[in-house]
Amino acid sequence: MIKRIGFWVAIAAAWGIAWWTKQAFGIPDYIMWIGFVAIIGALSTFSLENRMTAVEERVIRKDYSGIVAQLEGERHKPQHKQPPSLAAGGAIVSRVRPQHERLFEDFRWFAALMNRHIADEWAIEELPITDVRGYDGPEIGRMYDVWYNACKVGRMQVTLGAGALLSKEKERSARVDLKLNYLRFIPYRDAHSLLYEIGLLTGSYDRTSGEAFRARAASAATDALTGYLWEAVRQPDLDPWFDFMTEGSYDVLHDQVEHWRKNGIDPMTRWGGDRDNRSDD
């Protein structure tokens, strides 16, 4: 309000000075009007620039110093809150199928395995939720918070893949959806580590060519990060969310879980679902 009053006071002062100048020097009226219009235009432009600068500072030039401080802070140690059953996690019992129960059991130690292999700054923390969000409505699965050091940067969920939904056989298939924020402040190597490990654990393993399988997982991670980089450069004034989805028969995860079970190892109780004593498998 004060700025608006100042704007009109400036116009009135300019008009007064112009009128005195006209009377003192006998300047023609049309010259005075041209000058007056020019002054009004200059003042309007100045006011508009000030408004645009204020908007940019509020909307575009957001202060991320607090977020960056968390990203560079001490690593968050995951505190898992695993649901004891699908029903206990909020899943609608009438919608639970045998495939859901199998997926729930197979991914019981997914967070623990992720934490043991991804870059040190990450932490995957399971939530006590099984009523997750699907593409066209509620779904059933497991849900996780994703941390990078002291900053909670996103969420991940595991649901049935298309193969398990459509097959009447005992086919394994899981879909993993990951959504992250502030990815532009996270080093490429660390971001790639997270995506690569998800693809490695949940993909369909080619037992005839392990190297080719790992290469595909690495390529998928690279492609996803390249797409995010493109959008970040194309719209530098925005901080886009990063979305990643992969689907497969999770052969590597299944084999590791079976290995732990046969040897009486529960990574949630033995290591707290984290990376302590990673060589002790």
Side-chain angles (χ1 to χ4, degrees):
M1 183 66 181
I2 295 176
K3 290 183 178 180
R4 184 177 298 177
I5 293 174
F7 177 74
W8 288 109
V9 169
I11 292 178
W15 175 257
I17 293 172
W19 181 261
W20 179 85
T21 303
K22 175 182 182 300
Q23 297 297 325
F25 296 99
I27 300 175
D29 288 345
Y30 76 92
I31 296 295
M32 291 300 301
W33 280 109
I34 292 174
F36 180 71
V37 171
I39 291 172
I40 294 296
L43 289 173
S44 298
T45 300
F46 178 75
S47 176
L48 180 61
E49 288 180 350
N50 283 341
R51 286 171 175 264
M52 290 300 295
T53 299
V55 170
E56 288 178 355
E57 289 176 350
R58 289 198 307 269
V59 179
I60 297 176
R61 298 174 186 174
K62 183 178 178 181
D63 182 10
Y64 289 101
S65 58
I67 297 299
V68 173
Q70 292 181 45
L71 291 170
E72 296 175 350
E74 185 177 350
R75 178 183 180 265
H76 170 80
K77 187 173 179 61
Q79 304 295 322
H80 301 289
K81 300 178 179 64
Q82 289 191 296
S85 66
L86 287 172
I92 301 173
V93 177
S94 61
R95 298 188 61 199
V96 175
R97 297 162 52 184
Q99 294 96 320
H100 292 119
E101 295 284 5
R102 181 182 186 185
L103 182 80
F104 181 73
E105 182 62 28
D106 286 348
F107 275 79
R108 179 177 298 277
W109 296 330
F110 177 55
L113 194 54
M114 285 288 295
N115 285 329
R116 294 174 69 77
H117 292 285
I118 51 181
D120 290 343
E121 292 78 5
W122 293 107
I124 308 300
E125 181 177 78
E126 185 162 4
L127 301 173
I129 301 171
T130 57
D131 181 21
V132 303
R133 180 179 299 177
Y135 177 76
D136 56 356
E139 255 295 353
I140 298 171
R142 289 185 180 267
M143 185 174 288
Y144 311 83
D145 275 339
V146 180
W147 293 76
Y148 187 86
N149 284 330
C151 186
K152 185 164 66 174
V153 296
R155 185 159 285 187
M156 178 170 62
Q157 66 180 37
V158 176
T159 55
L160 283 176
L165 286 170
L166 299 175
S167 175
K168 295 182 180 179
E169 305 297 329
K170 294 183 178 181
E171 180 179 346
R172 293 193 311 267
S173 182
R175 169 177 170 145
V176 179
D177 290 276
L178 174 70
K179 191 176 187 69
L180 298 177
N181 201 2
Y182 314 126
L183 189 63
R184 65 168 61 191
F185 302 111
I186 295 175
Y188 173 81
R189 179 176 295 181
D190 293 347
H192 192 275
S193 166
L194 177 66
L195 304 186
Y196 170 73
E197 198 61 35
I198 292 173
L200 196 69
L201 292 179
T202 62
S204 299
Y205 184 62
D206 183 357
R207 299 184 184 278
T208 64
S209 180
E211 286 299 323
F213 172 68
R214 286 186 283 272
R216 286 196 299 273
S219 178
T222 301
D223 288 347
L225 292 173
T226 301
Y228 173 83
L229 175 63
W230 180 278
E231 292 303 318
V233 172
R234 188 174 69 88
Q235 303 182 73
D237 296 333
L238 301 178
D239 182 27
W241 283 86
F242 173 78
D243 292 288
F244 178 74
M245 188 279 290
T246 187
E247 187 172 319
S249 55
Y250 57 92
D251 299 306
V252 175
L253 171 66
H254 181 267
D255 290 350
Q256 181 62 50
V257 168
E258 287 301 307
H259 167 72
W260 277 339
R261 283 175 177 159
K262 289 177 181 178
N263 288 275
I265 298 174
D266 183 341
M268 290 299 183
T269 57
R270 188 165 183 173
W271 304 302
D274 203 10
R275 57 181 48 131
D276 297 337
N277 301 315
R278 271 185 282 194
S279 62
D280 183 17
D281 286 340

